[in-house]
Amino acid sequence: MTRAPQKRTMQTRAKLLDAAADLISVNGYTALRVEEVVLKAGVAKGTFFAHFADKDQLMNQLIGAEMDRILDHIVAGPVPKDADSIAEALLPLAEFMTCERYVLDIILRYSVVPEIEQIEPIARNFGRQIEILMNWCSTSDTSFRKDIDAGLLAEGVHAFLLQAMALKFCALHCELGLRERLRQYLRAWLAPVAA
Amino acid sequence: MTRAPQKRTMQTRAKLLDAAADLISVNGYTALRVEEVVLKAGVAKGTFFAHFADKDQLMNQLIGAEMDRILDHIVAGPVPKDADSIAEALLPLAEFMTCERYVLDIILRYSVVPEIEQIEPIARNFGRQIEILMNWCSTSDTSFRKDIDAGLLAEGVHAFLLQAMALKFCALHCELGLRERLRQYLRAWLAPVAA
DNA sequence: CATAATAAATGACCATGGTCAATTTAGTAG
DNA sequence: CTACTAAATTGACCATGGTCATTTATTATG
């Protein structure tokens, strides 16, 4: 017979998340150590792994939550009507996702869902991103290409977003900044002049 | 005064690379342990790290070398003239890069060059990929769009290649296989019907 | 050839993520 | 209230990547 989870569980989990968030706000994501987290939270190491499968899952929660906050802010704003506006709207999200190389690595690793059952925060956020992009791409008063459907259009925007972010860490071809590169990509993808 | 490297150096390095390649051919990349490699190569653990900054650098060498072999084979073939042919030509490379989740993670992490000085194998291979794609995109007898230059066209193909590969590990939206997805992307990118 | 100088190799040791049998705590039934 | 059961917690221990002072091999020089 299974029993309902105790409220102690959520408290401990919250203590761990809070401790981790505090430490990250000081030293960043890359420098976080599980040891520090449990010390600050006042629990044993084993407890950490009773709440999170591994360190990456904690990161998944924290990074995913931050991405959700940023995305909430983005959808609260006006719907962008052209390529440059979409680039501009996505910029805060892109900036966060590339705030540390380690953060982008985690995001890339957990943006896909290996198992149908449980969708983790980052993967869920990616799903939201695609949906929002689809909405933007399918509003009628845009001048976007009509030869492909909104789903494909959205996937393309996303592919270029990732490409632009990856190149932010590249010492080669770094003449362009993230914003300008993303604009260039999205113009070419969303409103081609055609052959 | 600096002295020329001894030939012993290259021998030891070769022993390590051979041992690693052997082990990988049996158990795959993910399962490789540094301990196993030095045991099989008959050297001490410290020696490994005198030759490779870390385990990832060994992977960078081995995976990069394999990618180079595949790319050599691709360029030895005929130049693809349309989107579907490009997708088809890239497929062997994409298959290898996604042979294990771990392999794709390593490739994504080391495909960008953080420091100008030393370009590692995977990053160099990515550079080659872009150049080859540029050549394909700028051959005159294709029906590709002419509104953007070959460099941007190549970067886009690459962005879509990465997107298609990432989705290979995704349990969601997995109706399409890698080949079909890549075709769809490249058709839309290289030959848009325009608004 | 002897000796000094530098390169290469060694392995005990460390850092950090992760495991699990044993223990404590909270909820439940009588 | 007591005994019982499942959930939650603990911390010693393990796995694996990585470090570095010390030792050994190689090469240059008088």
Side-chain angles (χ1 to χ4, degrees), chain A residues 101 105 108-116 119 130 143-149 152 154-160 162-163 166-167 169-173 181 184-185 187-189 191-195, chain B residues 101 105 108-116 119 130 143-149 152 154-160 162-163 166-167 169-173 181 184-185 187-189 191-195:
Chain A
R101 180 66 230 230
D105 285 342
L108 291 178
R109 184 155 45 233
Y110 294 100
S111 58
V112 296
V113 194
E115 304 287 341
I116 285 266
I119 302 185
I130 293 288
S143 56
F144 300 147
R145 59 195 292 189
K146 307 283 187 252
D147 62 327
I148 57 177
D149 64 48
L152 185 51
E155 276 184 56
V157 172
H158 209 253
F160 282 117
L162 295 179
Q163 172 102 337
L167 287 173
F169 293 102
C170 193
L172 263 42
H173 331 100
R181 193 186 298 274
Q184 190 184 3
Y185 285 153
R187 275 187 223 125
W189 173 241
V193 182
Chain B
R101 180 68 230 230
D105 285 343
L108 291 177
R109 186 157 41 236
Y110 294 99
S111 59
V112 296
V113 194
E115 305 286 341
I116 286 267
I119 302 184
I130 293 288
S143 55
F144 302 148
R145 59 196 290 188
K146 308 282 187 252
D147 62 327
I148 56 177
D149 64 48
L152 185 51
E155 277 184 55
V157 171
H158 209 253
F160 282 117
L162 295 179
Q163 172 100 340
L167 287 174
F169 294 103
C170 193
L172 262 42
H173 330 100
R181 193 185 297 274
Q184 191 185 3
Y185 286 153
R187 275 186 223 126
W189 172 241
V193 182

Side-chain angles (χ1 to χ4, degrees), chain B residues 16 19 23 33-45:
Chain B
L16 286 166
L23 289 164
R33 297 287 168 267
V34 172
E35 199 86 40
E36 289 180 321
V37 176
V38 297
L39 201 72
K40 181 145 188 165
V43 301
K45 203 169 184 181

Side-chain angles (χ1 to χ4, degrees), chain A residues 64-76 93 121-135 158:
Chain A
E66 182 64 24
M67 287 169 70
D68 277 338
R69 276 190 287 277
I70 295 170
L71 207 52
D72 287 343
H73 196 257
I74 290 176
V75 294
L93 190 60
I122 292 174
R124 183 144 18 92
N125 183 278
F126 264 46
R128 280 186 70 198
Q129 288 180 40
I130 293 288
E131 263 190 56
I132 290 165
L133 288 172
M134 275 182 63
N135 286 338
H158 209 253

